[in-house]
Amino acid sequence: MIEGILFDLDGVLVSTDELHYLAWKQLADRLGIPFSREQGDRCRGVSRMDSLEIVPEQAGRPYSQAEKEAFAQEKNQAYRAMLSNLSPADVPGEVVPTLKQLRQRGYRLALASGSKNAGLILERTGLGAWLDAVADGTCIRRSKPDPEIFLTAARLLGLPPSRCAAMDDAVAGIQAGRAAGMLTIAIGDSAVHRAGAYNLTRFDQLLELFPGPGEEGAL
Ligand code: BG6
Ligand code: MG
């Protein structure tokens, strides 16, 4: 029986996944390195530094740790500049009504994002108001596919992993949720890969999976 739903942020609650891609692409273009959408998809859910194992794959030479750290900083600056225009209008229309309905049905909701920019995004979009707990990139040491972020979010909600569902657009995120012992729900890229126990095409399909008390759901 599921009591808590843990959400990834970028690409699940808001379309900032595209801004991550564009910021990496900007860096790759400046370095003259090809960077494909497929590489961008593999960066989903992966930390900023770990993404630098993927972004320069086609560079033809390895980069030093110091160079990678400078690249991470450069990308983050470009990304944060893109976030400066973010507002509640950037949250897809079905997201807030769905979160509201799930809370009314008694589910506890938490963020489980590997991003260190999550606080800024929650503030700018107003999404923080719908969450009972927030676990983000500032609270963990190991990024997805490690289960740490989902386990941390469950702990903040005071729920055992077996009572939580993990929703993520990243294949690495679904692997993390599964490793945490949670029911996994894929959307976007991870759903295209059929990585989740449930693979959704729309965010509000959560309302079919998680019924109100006394109602029958699809689970
Ligand atoms: C994840 C994104 O949510 O956060 C990744 O899917 C990103 O692309 C990771 O690398 C870390 O984000 P940030 O904002 O700390 O660089
Ligand atoms: Mg994501």
Side-chain angles (χ1 to χ4, degrees), residues 107-127:
Y107 294 96
R108 313 209 44 224
L109 311 182
L111 191 80
S113 163
S115 172
K116 293 191 167 91
N117 292 298
L120 173 68
I121 295 172
L122 292 183
E123 196 185 293
R124 294 203 67 99
T125 56
L127 279 167

Side-chain angles (χ1 to χ4, degrees), residues 49 52 64-74:
M49 281 311 288
L52 280 161
S64 68
Q65 187 61 18
E67 284 173 309
K68 285 184 190 168
E69 276 163 22
F71 294 158
Q73 217 177 352
E74 181 179 334

Side-chain angles (χ1 to χ4, degrees):
M1 156 108 163
I2 297 297
E3 293 177 53
I5 309 172
L6 316 180
F7 297 96
D8 173 52
L9 179 63
D10 304 314
V12 172
L13 298 181
V14 65
S15 307
T16 38
D17 52 331
E18 182 64 12
L19 303 183
H20 276 293
Y21 169 77
L22 292 173
W24 284 126
K25 177 86 174 96
Q26 193 172 305
L27 173 75
D29 286 350
R30 185 185 72 69
L31 297 172
I33 303 171
F35 177 60
S36 67
R37 281 273 170 189
E38 186 272 332
Q39 282 173 286
D41 284 338
R42 279 190 283 124
C43 290
R44 287 175 190 273
V46 174
S47 74
R48 206 179 302 162
M49 281 311 288
D50 288 350
S51 300
L52 280 161
E53 302 304 314
I54 300 168
V55 177
E57 273 174 356
Q58 304 186 58
R61 76 154 170 109
Y63 287 105
S64 68
Q65 187 61 18
E67 284 173 309
K68 285 184 190 168
E69 276 163 22
F71 294 158
Q73 217 177 352
E74 181 179 334
K75 180 266 179 175
N76 195 46
Q77 264 172 18
Y79 178 60
R80 283 181 73 97
M82 294 174 188
L83 290 182
S84 66
N85 294 323
L86 205 67
S87 80
D90 292 299
V91 178
E94 66 277 21
V95 169
V96 168
T98 303
L99 296 178
K100 211 166 158 179
Q101 186 70 238
L102 289 170
R103 275 182 115 190
Q104 274 167 5
R105 292 179 181 185
Y107 294 96
R108 313 209 44 224
L109 311 182
L111 191 80
S113 163
S115 172
K116 293 191 167 91
N117 292 298
L120 173 68
I121 295 172
L122 292 183
E123 196 185 293
R124 294 203 67 99
T125 56
L127 279 167
W130 306 105
L131 300 166
D132 300 293
V134 172
D136 67 17
T138 63
C139 355
I140 50 159
R141 282 180 307 158
R142 294 173 300 275
S143 89
K144 297 167 186 174
D146 189 281
E148 187 180 6
I149 191 74
F150 284 116
L151 293 174
T152 304
R155 186 166 41 76
L156 291 176
L157 286 183
L159 292 173
S162 58
R163 302 221 163 190
C164 293
M167 182 174 198
D168 213 299
D169 68 308
V171 172
I174 294 296
Q175 289 167 343
R178 190 168 296 121
M182 297 174 183
L183 177 77
T184 55
I185 303 171
I187 191 162
D189 189 60
S190 62
V192 169
H193 288 90
R194 314 298 294 170
Y198 290 89
N199 298 283
L200 308 188
T201 50
R202 284 181 59 92
F203 190 82
D204 52 14
Q205 287 176 302
L206 283 175
L207 296 174
E208 294 160 32
L209 287 184
F210 302 109
E215 286 171 15
E216 225 173 89
L219 281 184

